[in-house]
């Protein structure tokens, strides 16, 4: 690479020594019904820190997370888990609409621990930890699906943490939450970051991205329009689309 | 009318006095039907779950066939099982015809499609909701089926109760393969048919009353299940 050339963020071919990125997306395409919903998406999920994914409704943010999680197969392109199979199994997902089992809060978390293969003798202790982490101890025996939206979101969040994930995909985890519930979720995110989890956070809240994110990827119409360190992105977005989005101007 | 009044009085006397024959018939009925429903659940739950979760060639055909079998007249099931078990049939050597075992088989054949079809429906809906979550958790195929069956437990109990109601009420299948032999294969419905045709209404009425009560009990159970499921948001 010649001197002075601008190196794209987290260029896949230049991993930092000792910390290869967790996941690399290389020119991913997703077609449905002749439409390119994801159009040549290349981005890197670093081994640590928070990557915010922003963009207007329908930009393809949720689809991008599903691709990273391996829940849908790309029509073209490559997706690589640098740390191998082990990482792939330890990508946890918190969906835009929380999906909770028809069981108590405790049983939901226990199910997750069993599914993630936590050894039997560690389970009770981990379960108590997770309940405390999500401030759910009081609610442990309640049916999960009668909880409030914010409480459900906290269950979904600590359930994902039950995986002891390497990568945590969060799809608008605080949309429709009150400030206090939002703060609780953000605290959980910070703790996970401190534990070395790499987080991909889809959010529409610029404030939240500024508080939490190291880098921002901006998507529009299935394409990556901008990838920049958070400070730079919010100070002076380089793409027209990102500028319009942040100014609250409608994008099609 | 005089006779009916007397018959009713006698019927109640039989019930209250726990008449030995009445109790024996009810006991056999319950034994046959419960055994059949348990077998039908053991077969129908995994079959339905597999059809809901699996993707294999011929799946659509199996689903259609099972749905069709759901509405099969009991006499036809009785006839089919009779042909299988009769001494000229493929299972004739077992000499099961006119035994309670034959009745259990016939009712299990009758109820299995009901349990399988309802299970398929319920589990498929739930799978649509849970699929991405369970896949993101790396759940195994077996783990996924177990999760779905457990979380559909209220609806599945409903399916089992529906099967129980149908088996308890049917007369055609048990009549054909059981033969309605006194003290051996005589159950509530076949006894009612026989006693009524003989004009001996007391026992028929007594059994009829018990059947109605059981039916009410089953439906109360269904309602209770639905209420509980809704209260817990598990519906
Ligand atoms: N299975 C599908 N088949 C066809 N189109 C789809 C499918 N899934 C998503 N889409 C379309 O792809 C586009 C991107 O969807 P996606 O859910 O990723 O948006 P998003 O960026 O998450 O939006 P939001 O901010 O509203 O959550 C949308 O226009 C959506 O209608
Ligand atoms: Mg979305």
């Amino acid at each position: 690479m010649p001197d002075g050339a601008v190196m794209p963020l987290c260029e896949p071919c230049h991993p930092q020594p000792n910390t290869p990125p967790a996941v690399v997306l290389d020119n991913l395409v997703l077609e449905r019904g002749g439409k390119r919903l994801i159009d040549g998406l290349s981005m890197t999920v670093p081994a640590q820190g928070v990557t915010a994914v922003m963009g207007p409704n329908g930009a393809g943010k949720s689809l991008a997370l599903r691709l990273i999680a391996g829940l849908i197969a790309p029509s073209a392109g490559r997706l690589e888990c640098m740390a191998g199979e082990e990482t792939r199994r330890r990508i946890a997902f918190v969906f835009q609409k929380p999906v909770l089992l028809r069981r108590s809060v405790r049983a939901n978390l226990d199910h997750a621990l069993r599914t993630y293969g936590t050894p039997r003798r560690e389970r009770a202790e981990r379960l108590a930890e997770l309940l405390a982490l999500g401030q759910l101890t009081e609610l442990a025996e309640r049916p999960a699906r009668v909880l409030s939206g914010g409480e459900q979101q906290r269950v979904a969040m600590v359930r994902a943490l039950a995986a002891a994930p390497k990568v945590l995909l969060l799809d608008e985890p605080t949309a429709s939450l009150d400030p206090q519930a939002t703060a609780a979720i953000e605290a959980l995110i910070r703790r996970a970051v401190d534990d070395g989890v790499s987080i991909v956070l889809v959010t529409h809240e610029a404030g939240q991205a500024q508080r939490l994110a190291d880098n921002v990827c901006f998507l529009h119409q299935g394409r990556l329009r901008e990838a920049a360190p958070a400070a730079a992105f919010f100070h002076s977005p380089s793409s027209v689309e990102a500028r319009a989005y942040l100014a609250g101007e409608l994008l099609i | 009318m005089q006779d009916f009044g007397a018959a009713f009085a006698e019927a109640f006397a039989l019930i209250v006095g726990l008449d030995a024959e009445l109790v024996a018939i009810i006991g056999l009925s319950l034994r046959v039907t419960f055994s059949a429903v348990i077998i039908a659940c053991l077969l129908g739950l995994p079959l339905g779950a597999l059809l809901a979760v699996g993707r294999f060639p011929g799946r659509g055909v199996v689903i259609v066939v099972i749905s069709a079998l759901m509405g099969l007249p009991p006499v036809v099931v009785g006839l089919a099982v009779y042909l299988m078990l009769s001494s000229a049939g493929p299972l004739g050597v077992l000499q099961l015809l006119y035994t309670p075992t034959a009745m259990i088989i016939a009712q299990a054949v009758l109820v299995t499609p009901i349990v399988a079809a309802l299970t398929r429906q319920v589990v498929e809906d739930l799978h649509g909701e849970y699929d991405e979550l369970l896949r993101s958790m790396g759940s195994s195929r077996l783990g996924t089926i177990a999760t779905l069956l457990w979380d559909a437990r209220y609806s599945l109990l409903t399916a089992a109760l529906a099967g129980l109601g149908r088996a308890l009420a049917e007369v055609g299948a048990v009549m054909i393969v059981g033969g309605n032999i006194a003290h051996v294969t005589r159950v509530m419905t076949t006894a009612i048919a026989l006693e009524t045709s003989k004009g001996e209404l007391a026992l028929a009425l007594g059994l009829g009353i018990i059947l109605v009560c059981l039916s009410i009990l089953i439906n109360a159970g269904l309602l209770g299940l639905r209420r509980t499921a809704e209260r817990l948001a598990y519906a």
Side-chain angles (χ1 to χ4, degrees), chain A:
Chain A
M1 186 179 275
D3 278 348
V6 181
M7 191 172 101
L9 175 81
C10 303
E11 170 66 20
C13 45
H14 290 273
Q16 286 161 345
N18 302 329
T19 54
V23 186
V24 175
L25 290 72
D26 183 10
N27 209 12
L28 290 188
V29 175
L30 183 74
E31 278 181 348
R32 287 283 185 277
K35 265 189 67 187
R36 289 199 156 202
L37 301 175
I38 295 287
D39 193 359
L41 177 62
S42 295
M43 68 181 254
T44 299
V45 179
Q48 287 188 357
V50 178
T51 308
V53 176
M54 302 189 76
N57 291 138
K61 306 179 296 296
S62 295
L63 289 177
L65 290 197
R66 286 190 162 78
L67 283 166
I68 295 173
L71 292 175
I72 44 180
S75 316
R78 233 160 31 95
L79 185 121
E80 229 177 298
C81 284
M82 301 311 275
E85 264 313 289
E86 180 54 21
T87 307
R88 161 136 305 297
R89 249 181 289 117
R90 285 170 63 187
I91 299 181
F93 205 139
V94 175
F95 295 91
Q96 193 163 354
K97 227 176 73 193
V99 184
L100 298 178
L101 303 185
R102 287 157 171 74
R103 311 176 184 201
S104 67
V105 171
R106 178 189 302 282
N108 264 276
L109 298 179
D110 191 52
H111 171 269
L113 288 170
R114 274 184 290 123
T115 305
Y116 289 129
T118 312
R120 178 186 294 270
R121 68 205 128 67
E122 291 171 26
R123 249 183 258 151
E125 196 186 331
R126 290 274 290 134
L127 192 62
E129 260 174 42
L130 291 171
L131 286 170
L133 193 62
Q135 296 170 307
L136 294 163
T137 312
E138 233 90 286
L139 304 173
E141 310 309 330
R142 294 267 294 278
R145 294 159 63 92
V146 302
L147 299 180
S148 80
E151 291 163 346
Q152 293 198 14
Q153 200 60 261
R154 289 206 313 262
V155 177
M157 186 80 184
V158 291
R159 180 180 58 190
L161 293 174
K166 291 246 204 269
V167 179
L168 182 54
L169 308 173
L170 304 174
D171 199 347
E172 302 191 33
T174 62
S176 82
L177 297 194
D178 71 23
Q180 203 210 327
T182 302
I185 295 282
E186 289 188 5
L188 285 176
I189 295 176
R190 285 206 184 83
R191 265 200 72 154
V193 172
D194 291 342
D195 290 342
V197 182
S198 170
I199 291 181
V200 183
L201 170 71
V202 173
T203 179
H204 287 293
E205 291 172 65
Q208 180 169 66
Q210 279 173 300
R211 284 194 294 279
L212 296 173
D214 302 300
N215 302 305
V216 178
C217 293
F218 183 80
L219 265 63
H220 180 229
Q221 296 182 344
R223 261 176 250 158
L224 183 71
R225 300 294 170 144
E226 189 164 350
F233 178 83
F234 289 108
H235 183 255
S236 52
S238 61
S239 64
V240 189
E241 293 88 355
R243 227 174 294 141
Y245 173 81
L246 288 175
E249 288 160 23
L250 194 69
L251 271 177
I252 319 139

